Amino acid sequence: MTRLWQFRGGIKLDGNKSLSSEQPIAKANLPQFLILPLLQHIGVPAEPVVKVGDKVLKGQIIAHCQANDCYLKMSVPLHASSSGTVVAIEPHSVPHPSGLTALCIVIETDGRDEWIECSPIIDYTTLSPMTLRQQVAMAGIVGLGGAGFPSHLKLKSAGIDTLIINGAECEPYITCDDRLMREYPDDIVMGAQIFRHILGGTQHCVIAVEDNKPAAYSALLQAAQGRVTVVKVPTLYPTGGEKQLIHVLTGKEIGKAQLPADFGMVVHNIETTRAVYRAVKEGRPLISRVVTVTGNGIEQPQNLEVLLGTPIQVIIDQCGRKSDIKQLIMGGPMMGFTLPHDQLPVIKTTNCLIASSTQAIESPKPTMPCIRCGACAQVCPVNLLPQQLYWYTKAKDFKTAKNYHLFDCIECGCCAYVCPSYLPLVDYYRYAKAEIRANEQERQKANLARNRHEFRTFRLDRDKAEKLARHQAAAAASQPDKQVIIEAALERVKAKKVPNHSEEKPIQEESVH
Amino acid sequence: MPFKLSTAPYLHQANSVAEMMRQVLYALIPGIAMYVWFFGWGIVIHILLTSMTALSCEATLLWLRDRPLRPFLTDNSALVTAWLLGSALPPFAPWWLSVLGTAFALIFAKHLYGGLGYNPFNPAIVGYAMLLISFPSEMMKWPHLASLSGHYPSIVESMSIIFTGQPLGGITLDALSSATPLNTMKTQLNKFHTVTEIKQNPIFSYYGAKGWEWIGSTFFLGGVWLIYKRVITWHIPVAVVGSLFLIASLFFTIDSDRYPSPFFHLFGGGSVMIGAFFIATDPVSAATSNTGKLIYGIGIGILIYIIRTWGGYPDGVAFSVLLMNIAAPLIDYYTQPRVFGH
């Protein structure tokens, strides 16, 4: 696997990585309160197994994934990230683009940071993949690159022959994976080996590192010792996207509706790999992660190992808060989102926090009309025609936008980055996608209502028809009597006539007989 | 303290529409300088006229349409139209030709369609075509090349001709004018002269036409600079020049007496280079996908050849671009790129 492919488009970005990449990972201070949302990943929230007032130890499960069989479900358990007392289980605002609140377990720390007893696995190779997968699930490990997909679900696919460890940290400013690769290359290589064992011994294992991280590359190369392949890939945003990275490494294009597993591949993030190593070799669940704290609103940009649930305010203060912070971004500047305030906890998907001071924020430039320059189409890594999508979205012609493969858009932001008219293109696509989804829901609802109405009409008609049929049947059943009734009536009429013409009666009777 | 909320991406590359248009203007300067060198100051006077007309029309129309003045007046797009049109007019053309053409371009071809970004045709070319159809004799009257006639028109003289129609010093305008090499070639071929005979005329050179080959080459260099600066991509210019060159070579090989050489087509006037690099590449009216751009460009190249060789006009760049502008949406529809993973 030495040949590399290049996906179309992409952009070269000014990395801004040197701000935080040169100091070793430091430990974040232990906060007084830890706020742990029950849902920190894609899937269903965990269910609390502690009550307010309970004493907990570091690493203790405080919320179980539903039905206790989470290695099958899209959920993972939640662990206390330090020792202390549960003081509340209540809604609290969580890091989310919409500023949602969600149920959180709040722990007041006791400062002792006392671990629960851990049970490391000495030789994982003696355990079955199934047991190890369960171990990964129970350690609460989800994809730590930002998306937060429960990792155990990516470990059960059969027929995987290639494992890719994604060290192509392509978003500007973020350096947490870079530091991990430099400082813990052995853990990462070992974690990759564990992954391989769980996946049934994949034929290929590649760690891909962008060529703007030479130190990480050489550290990994040294640690790998030929057991896994370490590949240098060109620095081009968005190489770190799962499907883009697969294309760079294998030339295979995985479409929107497909999964890497369909192609015998699985991709895991650097920090996820290290978390798996820790879960197996040290028996420690995921209770902390490395967060890049950077931006020009920070005195000492750096990477911190932060306990999950630590309020962002605490770590910003620790890194030196400048007084003029105006904007706070979680994730990278291309695909991250802004946070309304810093009273939010660090969660499993918090890979980076960028605090920008006044000078950094470009005053939003006035947008100009699209001049169809096509710069957006030149950089789109999915080969879409962004300007066409923009036109159709603007015209609310969502159907055509969909036909132009709107849903293949990965929202990487390359198009908006190069747009000379400063059009917020990605916003238009998000809007169009949301509208289409809403319309579809609306249509489904309407269909349901129509079906219900049609069924009701059908039922009423059926009942009516049945009733009619019953009556008709009854009538039909009484049909033979009719003749008798008529005859009886005739008889009666005749009988009535008798008193008037009594003398005729015997004759008539005679004639009848 | 609440923070400012907005949506990703939070990074932008600073290359605005105004910046792109300014680079187009810069790229035109060397070619315009060449014109001045060979034909005197007329072109500069016309560019001043078209620029002033363009900006006043833009401002008036924006005001009438109730649009903000500042962002659109400073986006330089009106100036690009003005400079392109100004460079295409004969240097001694009367002043009202500039004013009329520019006003028509800005009002009818640009703002009546909705302004920047909405025009289906390149405004400069629409203005030029209107003038060409309405005032053919004024549009065909080019001065002699200064180096050939030994007379270099001064600024004052040029102004006199443009604003009053009267040259200074008792010379008549007809004495100063001549047909362009492309025009001469066409008329002489129609009179059944062979290319070799026609090229005896001193206005022609080995490659193209005297003076014009320099003007064409300079615009070519300006265009290459635009590709280097990523204001335009290579697809359209290469397709236009390449297809014209190939089709001209084909006929030239078949009969070099009836069909001029491909180099004459490229350098017999300034129009092919300015058309290929500055006009056909107008993003608003051109095809957008890379394949689409190639088809669009090839269409222009072939049409130029057809119009020049068998049509009624000696040049044909303007009409070719207009015809392909019409086809651009259709080309776009049929050249959608294959989406990743499909």
Side-chain angles (χ1 to χ4, degrees):
Chain A
M1 244 196 222
T2 43
R3 191 189 153 184
L4 293 179
W5 279 260
Q6 203 196 332
F7 57 87
R8 236 194 112 273
I11 42 179
K12 290 204 187 311
L13 291 169
D14 186 10
N16 288 306
K17 293 191 185 247
S18 57
L19 285 174
S20 58
S21 65
E22 297 316 311
Q23 300 95 327
I25 298 170
K27 270 207 160 21
N29 296 337
L30 183 68
Q32 197 191 346
F33 292 101
L34 291 164
I35 305 148
L36 293 151
L38 293 172
L39 181 64
Q40 305 189 19
H41 52 84
I42 297 170
V44 285
E47 284 173 351
V49 292
V50 291
K51 305 184 300 294
V52 173
D54 283 1
K55 297 255 182 242
V56 291
L57 291 175
K58 187 175 188 169
Q60 179 183 333
I61 288 183
I62 53 171
H64 235 300
C65 55
Q66 291 175 329
N68 218 3
D69 56 351
C70 64
Y71 59 95
L72 295 173
K73 287 263 165 68
M74 202 133 163
S75 186
V76 288
L78 181 63
H79 306 77
S81 24
S82 185
S83 57
T85 315
V86 176
V87 291
I89 302 176
E90 62 186 16
H92 192 280
S93 46
V94 293
H96 189 275
S98 70
L100 278 178
T101 59
L103 207 57
C104 298
I105 297 177
V106 184
I107 296 170
E108 183 169 16
T109 55
D110 57 14
R112 289 202 294 273
D113 212 22
E114 192 182 334
W115 268 99
I116 198 167
E117 199 183 326
C118 300
S119 42
I121 297 166
I122 309 301
D123 184 8
Y124 67 88
T125 53
T126 59
L127 295 178
S128 72
M130 175 72 171
T131 318
L132 281 169
R133 202 170 77 218
Q134 205 164 346
Q135 183 85 4
V136 170
M138 292 311 284
I141 297 171
V142 299
L144 297 173
F149 190 85
S151 299
H152 57 276
L153 296 178
K154 280 169 134 186
L155 290 171
K156 65 175 178 181
S157 357
I160 302 289
D161 64 3
T162 307
L163 167 70
I164 297 168
I165 307 297
N166 187 351
E169 195 171 36
C170 64
E171 277 259 19
Y173 289 97
I174 311 182
T175 55
C176 54
D177 287 351
D178 185 13
R179 283 314 310 184
L180 280 173
M181 291 187 279
R182 290 200 218 178
E183 295 179 37
Y184 303 97
D186 295 312
D187 293 11
I188 291 161
V189 170
M190 195 53 89
Q193 295 289 70
I194 297 170
F195 272 140
R196 278 175 101 172
H197 179 68
I198 303 177
L199 291 165
T202 59
Q203 207 181 339
H204 308 285
C205 175
V206 188
I207 304 180
V209 188
E210 274 189 317
D211 58 15
N212 60 353
K213 306 172 186 64
Y217 174 76
S218 46
L220 282 170
L221 205 60
Q222 209 173 3
Q225 292 172 336
R227 290 175 294 175
V228 297
T229 319
V230 187
V231 176
K232 215 185 250 185
V233 294
T235 302
L236 184 71
Y237 178 83
T239 299
E242 184 173 83
K243 291 177 177 179
Q244 276 66 42
L245 182 61
I246 287 176
H247 186 248
V248 169
L249 293 173
T250 67
K252 287 182 184 145
E253 290 188 12
I254 298 175
K256 204 225 152 227
Q258 295 158 317
L259 289 172
D262 302 338
F263 292 75
M265 286 181 269
V266 68
V267 183
H268 284 282
N269 163 268
I270 288 290
E271 190 159 7
T272 316
T273 312
R274 180 183 173 234
V276 164
Y277 165 81
R278 282 182 159 191
V280 172
K281 282 286 182 180
E282 297 170 6
R284 291 181 169 189
L286 180 68
I287 47 103
S288 68
R289 69 156 298 146
V290 180
V291 181
T292 304
V293 188
T294 183
N296 59 3
I298 299 291
E299 295 281 359
Q300 294 130 4
Q302 59 186 301
N303 286 286
L304 288 180
E305 174 118 30
V306 184
L307 293 176
L308 298 174
T310 305
I312 288 168
Q313 171 203 10
V314 172
I315 58 174
I316 289 185
D317 287 340
Q318 185 179 347
C319 295
R321 173 196 298 267
K322 287 190 190 164
S323 58
D324 54 356
I325 296 176
K326 280 278 149 63
Q327 194 167 41
L328 182 63
I329 300 165
M330 179 169 134
M334 295 300 287
M335 291 183 78
F337 54 90
T338 44
L339 300 176
H341 53 83
D342 57 9
Q343 316 294 310
L344 301 162
V346 166
I347 59 172
K348 291 177 184 176
T349 52
T350 312
N351 53 354
C352 180
L353 293 164
I354 306 170
S356 297
S357 66
T358 331
Q359 300 85 18
I361 300 171
E362 299 172 35
S363 56
K365 293 200 175 116
T367 59
M368 295 291 283
C370 168
I371 56 165
R372 301 187 354 119
C373 65
C376 49
Q378 299 294 333
V379 298
C380 179
V382 196
N383 220 2
L384 295 167
L385 291 173
Q387 82 275 25
Q388 303 292 83
L389 292 175
Y390 161 74
W391 279 108
Y392 294 125
T393 303
K394 215 177 150 206
K396 299 202 190 255
D397 183 358
F398 300 124
K399 201 176 160 200
T400 316
K402 207 176 157 188
N403 290 343
Y404 273 76
H405 306 291
L406 170 71
F407 281 93
D408 282 85
C409 170
I410 57 170
E411 299 181 18
C412 64
C414 288
C415 51
Y417 176 82
V418 298
C419 179
S421 294
Y422 302 111
L423 295 166
L425 292 168
V426 187
D427 283 3
Y428 277 91
Y429 310 145
R430 289 190 194 114
Y431 160 69
K433 285 178 182 176
E435 283 293 303
I436 291 170
R437 285 195 192 110
N439 287 347
E440 258 160 29
Q441 263 174 14
E442 205 58 37
R443 206 171 51 238
Q444 272 172 5
K445 248 193 238 166
N447 277 345
L448 203 69
R450 201 183 53 239
N451 288 345
R452 212 182 280 146
H453 173 74
E454 277 171 0
F455 181 70
R456 182 170 178 271
T457 323
F458 162 75
R459 185 169 51 81
L460 290 178
D461 287 352
R462 188 193 58 192
D463 290 356
K464 215 165 148 189
E466 278 175 358
K467 211 167 167 182
L468 195 70
R470 257 201 322 276
H471 285 176
Q472 276 173 350
S478 61
Q479 200 73 24
D481 298 343
K482 237 177 195 168
Q483 206 62 38
V484 182
I485 293 165
I486 294 167
E487 275 172 17
L490 283 173
E491 290 295 313
R492 274 199 304 276
V493 171
K494 282 170 193 167
K496 269 183 191 166
K497 284 177 180 170
V498 175
N500 301 339
H501 317 278
S502 51
E503 67 279 7
E504 284 173 27
K505 201 185 170 188
I507 305 163
Q508 237 186 357
E509 270 177 352
E510 271 175 13
S511 69
V512 172
H513 293 285
Chain B
M1 176 188 62
F3 298 128
K4 194 173 160 279
L5 295 178
S6 60
T7 50
Y10 303 100
L11 297 176
H12 293 281
Q13 189 188 50
N15 193 11
S16 61
V17 172
E19 179 77 33
M20 284 172 71
M21 298 286 176
R22 185 161 55 239
Q23 283 172 342
V24 174
L25 294 177
Y26 292 157
L28 281 168
I29 291 173
I32 292 169
M34 266 308 154
Y35 261 117
V36 174
W37 176 262
F38 286 108
F39 292 107
W41 290 90
I43 186 174
V44 176
I45 297 165
H46 276 295
I47 285 177
L48 285 175
L49 278 170
T50 54
S51 299
M52 287 189 298
T53 316
L55 288 177
S56 7
C57 286
E58 182 97 346
T60 315
L61 267 291
L62 285 170
W63 175 70
L64 285 173
R65 295 176 59 221
D66 202 15
R67 296 294 147 97
L69 287 185
R70 219 186 119 92
F72 288 103
L73 272 182
T74 53
D75 70 11
N76 299 323
S77 65
L79 283 180
V80 169
T81 302
W83 287 33
L84 285 172
L85 188 55
S87 325
L89 296 175
F92 288 164
W95 63 272
W96 51 265
L97 214 59
S98 271
V99 175
L100 189 68
T102 314
F104 187 81
L106 265 291
I107 296 169
F108 288 90
K110 187 176 181 184
H111 278 283
L112 290 194
Y113 281 109
L116 178 71
Y118 294 89
N119 46 298
F121 305 104
N122 182 319
I125 277 291
V126 172
Y128 178 80
M130 186 276 283
L131 294 177
L132 195 61
I133 298 167
S134 314
F135 309 99
S137 63
E138 276 83 359
M139 291 296 283
M140 300 280 180
K141 241 176 240 168
W142 278 77
H144 289 293
L145 206 61
S147 58
L148 287 176
S149 66
H151 176 78
Y152 187 83
S154 66
I155 295 185
V156 179
E157 193 177 3
S158 303
M159 282 178 78
S160 167
I161 300 173
I162 289 168
F163 289 103
T164 67
Q166 298 299 315
L168 302 171
I171 314 166
T172 62
L173 188 53
D174 284 339
L176 286 174
S177 308
S178 80
T180 61
L182 286 169
N183 207 346
T184 311
M185 179 64 82
K186 185 155 185 84
T187 8
Q188 295 299 314
L189 278 172
N190 284 343
K191 290 178 183 164
F192 301 104
H193 293 291
T194 66
V195 172
T196 327
E197 285 167 8
I198 300 166
K199 285 192 92 174
Q200 300 303 312
N201 189 322
I203 62 169
F204 297 103
S205 69
Y206 182 71
Y207 270 121
K210 281 217 179 73
W212 288 106
E213 57 202 3
W214 286 99
I215 293 169
S217 309
T218 324
F219 279 121
F220 169 80
L221 289 179
V224 170
W225 183 75
L226 284 183
I227 295 176
Y228 169 73
K229 293 298 266 182
R230 291 169 189 252
V231 175
I232 58 172
T233 63
W234 58 268
H235 304 82
I236 292 175
V238 167
V240 174
V241 173
S243 61
L244 178 61
F245 186 86
L246 283 180
I247 190 170
S249 307
L250 179 74
F251 282 95
F252 180 68
T253 325
I254 294 171
D255 187 350
S256 60
D257 269 342
R258 277 179 54 215
Y259 302 101
S261 80
F263 290 103
F264 176 74
H265 276 285
L266 297 187
F267 295 105
S271 60
V272 170
M273 292 307 163
I274 204 172
F277 286 92
F278 293 89
I279 291 169
T281 51
D282 166 29
V284 183
S285 53
T288 48
S289 70
N290 290 345
T291 328
K293 284 178 185 170
L294 289 175
I295 297 172
Y296 173 84
I298 291 171
I300 293 174
I302 293 174
L303 280 172
I304 294 175
Y305 194 79
I306 292 174
I307 295 173
R308 281 182 177 183
T309 312
W310 300 288
Y313 287 89
D315 191 349
V317 172
F319 294 116
S320 306
V321 174
L322 281 177
L323 285 169
M324 290 312 288
N325 280 170
I326 299 174
L330 193 73
I331 296 173
D332 276 343
Y333 182 80
Y334 284 107
T335 54
Q336 289 172 42
R338 185 186 62 84
V339 173
F340 184 86
H342 281 264

